[in-house]
Amino acid sequence: MTLLHDRLAQLLPGLRSERSAMLAQHAELELCAVSLGQVYGGLRGVIGVICDTSVVDPQRGLIIRGRPVRELTGLGVEEVFWLLLCGEYPDKAQKEWLRAELASRARVPDYAWSVLASAPPDSHPMVLFSLLTLSLQRSSRQARDYHELGKESLWRATLEDALDLLARLPVLAAAVWHRDQGRAQAWADSPAEGSWSERFAAMLSLTHSPPAAAAFADLLRLYFVLHCDHEGSNACALACHTVGSAHSDACYSISAGLNALAGPIHGLASEMTLRFVLAMHKHYGSAPSEGQIEDYCQQTLAAGRVLPGFGHAVLRAADPRFVALHSFAAEHISVDPLYATADHYYRIGPAVLASAGKAKSIHPNVDAITGPLLHHYGLTELRYYTVMFGLGLSIGMLAQLVLNRALGSPIMRPRSASLAELRELTGTG
Ligand code: HAX
C-alpha cells in the first residue's frame, strides 16, 4: 500500500455510497433536454459525462476541485495531481511521497526507444508521443492483472498505471523533443532529483543562463499546473474517457486522448497563434506598428480566417490561465521582440474582433500566450507545442481515469439515430 492508494481507499466508500444514494432516489431526474441542433452541433451543452476533477465556468474560467485555477499558480504538478484525484491538498508527507514515487517510476523500458528509433524521422511530434505512450501498454499492470482483479479493486491497478505513466510521460515528451531536433539517441533516463516539472526541464537540455534556467523551470511548473485539466468533455478528455470506459488500460486511453488533441481545431491553437505573430514579423519586419497589426488583423478577418488566440467555446471573460502566463511574460520576457508584437496583438485583437461583431468572446485565450513564452526559452519547434499541451492534459486525464474506474463508470454507449429516423421525427421524409 502507498499513501495515495491509502487516501483514495479512505475516500472511495463515501463517494460510492453518495453515487448509489443519488441513483436510488433520483435516477429518473432529467438533467437536460437534447435538441436536434445539439445533436448536429457536437453535443454542445449536453450533459453526458460526470467529471469531478474540474469545471470550466464561463466567467471564472477553470475551477479545479472547487478552487479557481488562479489560486493554484504556486503549486507543483505533484500537488495538483493529488488535488485532482483526492479533492484536497496533500500534506507534507504525502507530497514528498508522491514526488519520490514519481521520480522512482520514471525509467522507460528500452523497447519504447526501439519504437521511437523505428519511426520515420519526419513523423509529427504528436505521432511520436502517442506512439510511445501506446507502446508502454506492454507494461500495464491493469492489463497484466485484469483477470485476477474484481471490479471493486481494479482501480488499484489503474492507479499503478496512472503513476507509472505520469512518471514516464515527461521522459517520453523530452525524447520526442530530441528526436524531432534530429538527435538520434539523446533520450536518457530522468534525473533522480527534482520535482516532476524540474526533471522535465532538465531533460529538454536547453542552454540557458542560470537565471533563465530557473525562470524556465518555474514557467514549466506554472504551464503544467494551468494546463492540467479542462473538464471531462473536451474532445481529448472525452476520447480518453470513452476508451477507458471499455476497461482499456491507461496507455490505450491516454494515447487516444492525445490523438484527439492533435487535431488542428483542438490542440493546435498555440502553434497557430505563434505562426500568426511570426507571419506579421515576416510581412512588416520585426517590430510592426500598432496600425500595421490592426491592418493585418482586419485583412485576416476579411479573408474569412480567424484571429488565432482569441475566443473560446465556453469562456466569456478573460481566461485566468492567460492572465497568469501573461503576467509571467511581462516579468521575464518583456524585451523579446516576438513577445512585444504578441503583446500588441493581445491589445489590438479584441477591438478588431468586436468591430466584426461575431465572436462571443473577444478575449485572448491561453493558447495566445504559450507560444511566445516557449519560443523565448528555446522551444522553437512549433509542432512541439501540442506535445506540451498533451503532457499537461494527461495529468487530469489520468486522474479522471482512476476516479472513473474506482466509481465503476460503465462503458460509454450513447444511441445514434439514422437519417431515416430523423426524417420521420421531423416530418421531412
Ligand atoms: N477570429 C475570428 N472569428 C472568430 C473568432 C476569432 N478568434 N472567434 C470566434 N469567431 C467567430 C466564429 O468563427 C463564428 O463565426 P461563424 O458564425 O461565421 O461561424 C462566430 O465568431 C461565433 O463563434 P463563437 O460562438 O464565439 O465561438 P465558437 O464556440 O464557435 O468557437 C473557437 C470557439 C475557439 C473555435 C473560436 O473562438 C476560434 O476559432 N478562435 C480562434 C482559434 C483559437 O484561438 N482556438 C483556441 C481556443 C482555446 C482552446 O480551446 N484551446 O484548446
Side-chain angles (χ1 to χ4, degrees):
M1 288 290 267
T2 66
L3 292 189
L4 189 49
H5 292 74
D6 290 349
R7 186 63 191 127
L8 272 176
Q10 285 167 352
L11 293 168
L12 283 177
L15 292 171
R16 284 174 173 162
S17 55
E18 184 183 11
R19 182 200 54 179
S20 302
M22 226 184 253
L23 278 173
Q25 289 173 39
H26 303 289
E28 302 305 319
L29 178 75
E30 191 174 285
L31 292 181
C32 64
V34 184
S35 68
L36 180 69
Q38 285 173 304
V39 174
Y40 265 120
L43 300 181
R44 292 285 186 289
V46 176
I47 300 173
V49 172
I50 298 162
C51 171
D52 212 23
T53 54
S54 68
V55 295
V56 180
D57 181 273
Q59 296 304 323
R60 294 193 298 156
L62 177 62
I63 316 270
I64 293 179
R65 290 293 198 162
R67 295 146 175 96
V69 74
R70 67 182 151 69
E71 290 176 15
L72 308 181
T73 54
L75 298 185
V77 166
E78 291 85 350
E79 288 156 298
V80 97
F81 182 65
W82 190 288
L83 175 64
L84 285 161
L85 256 180
C86 301
E88 62 193 19
Y89 295 120
D91 63 26
K92 194 163 176 286
Q94 290 166 330
K95 183 179 146 186
E96 280 169 12
W97 171 84
L98 184 55
R99 186 172 162 142
E101 189 69 16
L102 292 178
S104 74
R105 289 175 183 246
R107 195 181 169 281
V108 171
D110 287 341
Y111 63 76
W113 302 142
S114 317
V115 171
L116 187 58
S118 64
D122 59 350
S123 302
H124 193 283
M126 279 302 274
V127 171
L128 300 177
F129 192 36
S130 176
L131 198 61
L132 283 170
T133 305
L134 189 60
S135 77
L136 296 184
Q137 197 277 337
R138 193 165 171 267
S139 309
S140 160
R141 316 243 188 141
Q142 184 193 293
R144 188 193 67 189
D145 298 342
Y146 189 77
H147 297 291
E148 273 99 62
L149 293 169
K151 269 190 190 171
E152 294 287 301
S153 50
L154 193 53
W155 68 270
R156 292 177 184 277
T158 310
L159 178 57
E160 288 294 330
D161 283 350
L163 289 169
D164 280 345
L165 264 187
L166 186 61
R168 291 169 178 176
L169 285 171
V171 190
L172 303 185
V176 169
W177 168 253
H178 290 298
R179 171 67 195 251
D180 199 51
Q181 294 294 295
R183 291 176 209 123
Q185 283 294 347
W187 36 93
D189 283 339
S190 169
E193 297 300 317
S195 67
W196 187 93
S197 56
E198 285 166 350
R199 286 185 283 111
F200 178 58
M203 282 186 284
L204 290 173
S205 310
L206 298 166
T207 310
H208 295 128
S209 66
F216 179 58
D218 197 40
L219 169 64
L220 290 189
R221 179 199 58 74
L222 180 62
Y223 175 100
F224 289 118
V225 167
L226 295 173
H227 285 83
C228 70
D229 205 36
H230 220 232
E231 285 192 352
S233 306
N234 62 72
C236 166
L238 190 59
C240 176
H241 173 64
T242 304
V243 173
S245 80
H247 288 194
S248 298
D249 59 56
C251 301
Y252 282 121
S253 308
I254 296 294
S255 177
L258 294 173
N259 295 345
L261 191 69
I265 61 168
H266 195 13
L268 232 64
S270 170
E271 174 184 332
M272 299 317 288
T273 308
L274 192 57
R275 281 196 198 288
F276 189 82
V277 174
L278 287 166
M280 280 196 277
H281 269 204
K282 196 168 167 203
H283 193 72
Y284 295 115
S286 63
S289 68
E290 296 199 357
Q292 287 172 326
I293 294 175
E294 187 176 338
D295 282 350
Y296 200 84
C297 293
Q298 299 281 17
Q299 286 165 24
T300 303
L301 289 186
R305 284 180 278 130
V306 297
L307 293 187
F310 290 93
H312 200 274
V314 179
L315 280 170
R316 294 294 173 259
D319 185 340
R321 300 172 304 165
F322 173 85
V323 174
L325 287 171
H326 187 242
S327 108
F328 182 99
E331 185 181 342
H332 292 280
I333 68 162
S334 59
V335 292
D336 184 317
L338 203 56
Y339 169 70
T341 302
D343 200 36
H344 286 316
Y345 177 49
Y346 307 144
R347 292 173 212 287
I348 292 161
V352 177
L353 268 181
S355 65
K358 282 209 296 186
K360 293 193 186 74
S361 166
I362 57 168
H363 300 279
N365 54 51
V366 70
D367 301 309
I369 181 74
T370 46
L373 276 165
L374 297 175
H375 192 275
H376 176 85
Y377 287 102
L379 289 168
T380 49
E381 172 49 67
L382 276 53
R383 298 193 315 168
Y384 190 68
Y385 295 171
T386 319
V387 173
M388 297 282 297
F389 194 2
L391 181 55
L393 283 180
S394 296
I395 301 165
M397 285 194 283
L398 288 168
Q400 291 183 28
L401 276 174
V402 174
L403 288 171
N404 280 314
R405 187 74 70 244
L407 293 172
S409 298
I411 189 165
M412 291 288 280
R413 186 54 170 100
R415 186 167 90 74
S416 53
S418 68
L419 265 181
E421 189 178 350
L422 293 184
R423 285 184 195 122
E424 198 179 321
L425 282 169
T426 56
T428 54

